[in-house]
Structure formats: C-alpha cells, structure tokens
Amino acid sequence: MNLIYYIYKTWRKIKLRITDIFDYSITWWHLKGNNASFSSFISRGIPYIMISRKGKMTIGQDLFLNNGLKKNPIGYSQRCTFFVDADSSIIIGNSVGISQSALISTCSIRIGDHVKIGGGCHIFTTDFHSLDPNIRKNRLDQKKRISAPIEICDNVFIGAGSTILKGVRIGENSVIGASSVVTKDIPANQIWAGNPARFIRNIE
C-alpha cells in the first residue's frame, strides 16, 4: 500500500512539473500575442486573455495565477479571465495572486502590490446592460452601458466568490469577506463583508 502511494505521488509530481512548463509557455504566448507588458509570472493552468488592439494590460513582477479546479481545489472550476476593451486598461502591480477570477475592463482596473484575489471573484467596470428595459430591447444596448474605473490598493485581500462593481476603490490593507458584493468605496484598514458589503471592523 505504501509503495503504491509513493509511486503515485512521484508520478504526480513529475506530471505537475511538466504541466507547469506547458502552462507557462502557453500563457506567455497568450500574453505576447495580446501585446501585454509583463515581467515574471507563474501560471498554474492557462488563463483566458482578450485585449483589444486599443487596450492595454501591464503586469508587474511575480504575478501568480491559479486556473481551474485542479490548481486551486476550493470549488471554482473556471480559468482566470482578462478582458480589456478598446481604450481601456488592466494594470497589475507586483506580487499579486489571482485565482479563477474574471477581470473585465471597459475603462480601467488598477491593482496595487501584494494583492490577493480569491477563487471565483468578479471585477467588472461596467453593468454590461442598461437598467432601462426599453434600451435593453435594442441590439445596441451595450453601446449605452455605463463604465467607471476600479482601483484595488496595496495589500488588499478579496475573499473567494466576491464581486467588485464599477467605480469602486478599495483602500490599502482592507479585507473583503468571501461572497461579498462591493458597490461603494472602502477605506483603508477595514474589513467589509456581505451583499451589499458592509463595514465589519477596523484592522488593528
């Protein structure tokens, strides 16, 4: 029984090492092919990246990505998604970790250094569709969408399954509880949670 265990673990370790090399190579290709500016990164699994010709994505040092259930087994199976529309940007600082999350920028998403974004988070700079039902009937609905930039400052931790909506700024060191929906600015050094997210307490 122990022999089978060690054989399995050795085989798995070798397989993961080979997979990591493949994942890095394909992710590098996707970043270069989308004209992203980047430095060092590790990608477990392969993210989905789509950057408009007039869009911009800049990544600092030591980005760490988890894509898919096998790479971060907490129940979220999707890959990381990065979508940058025309005349829009995603700017990511140094030593940022992102798991199975979607960043959709129709204007600007700026992420500071040492930010952790948990599995299954969604960061949207737009509502995608109008609140007016008459406008939603029109095929040009998305042309009338409202966008506003998002800023996530240094050392922020966003818990798994959270959604950050347009126009929000999250201050330094703050923590967002799992499955929260952030609809307004959050000051530095605070913990917020819930739907919509509410103040819980200060960080000492």
Side-chain angles (χ1 to χ4, degrees):
M1 189 68 175
N2 287 336
L3 179 60
I4 293 174
Y5 171 82
Y6 287 116
I7 290 172
Y8 172 78
K9 288 296 185 181
T10 301
W11 167 81
R12 188 172 184 273
K13 186 175 181 179
I14 294 170
K15 179 184 176 184
L16 287 174
R17 179 58 182 157
I18 293 170
T19 301
D20 285 346
I21 294 171
F22 176 81
D23 292 344
Y24 177 88
S25 300
I26 299 301
T27 302
W28 183 95
W29 175 251
H30 284 314
L31 287 168
K32 280 291 185 181
N34 278 282
N35 201 32
S37 173
F38 62 94
S39 183
S40 55
F41 70 89
I42 294 173
S43 184
R44 293 179 173 172
I46 301 167
Y48 175 83
I49 302 169
M50 178 60 69
I51 304 172
S52 167
R53 289 185 180 181
K54 295 183 179 180
K56 179 176 75 171
M57 184 171 176
T58 302
I59 299 168
Q61 296 181 347
D62 301 324
L63 174 66
F64 189 92
L65 300 177
N66 276 318
N67 301 276
L69 188 61
K70 291 181 180 179
K71 306 303 178 180
N72 189 28
I74 62 170
Y76 297 97
S77 60
Q78 67 266 28
R79 300 184 288 169
C80 288
T81 298
F82 300 95
F83 176 84
V84 184
D85 208 351
D87 301 314
S88 303
S89 64
I90 293 177
I91 310 297
I92 299 174
N94 300 316
S95 301
V96 172
I98 304 174
S99 292
Q100 302 140 312
S101 295
L103 282 69
I104 310 299
S105 178
T106 55
C107 55
S108 170
I109 295 173
R110 182 176 292 273
I111 297 172
D113 298 337
H114 306 288
V115 170
K116 298 292 181 287
I117 300 175
C121 291
H122 300 89
I123 300 175
F124 300 150
T125 64
T126 176
D127 294 331
F128 297 102
H129 299 282
S130 173
L131 298 180
D132 186 330
N134 293 315
I135 295 177
R136 286 200 304 272
K137 294 176 184 177
N138 193 314
R139 290 184 179 179
L140 299 178
D141 175 22
Q142 290 193 352
K143 298 291 184 181
K144 298 182 180 294
R145 66 190 177 192
I146 298 173
S147 298
I150 290 173
E151 182 179 8
I152 299 170
C153 297
D154 295 350
N155 307 313
V156 166
F157 173 39
I158 301 175
S162 295
T163 299
I164 313 300
L165 297 180
K166 71 178 191 302
V168 163
R169 182 183 187 274
I170 302 176
E172 293 85 353
N173 309 318
S174 286
V175 176
I176 309 303
S179 299
S180 297
V181 178
V182 180
T183 61
K184 59 184 178 180
D185 289 355
I186 293 176
N189 302 301
Q190 292 187 353
I191 298 174
W192 286 54
N195 182 5
R198 297 177 176 84
F199 172 76
I200 304 299
R201 67 177 176 84
N202 290 314
I203 297 173
E204 301 298 332

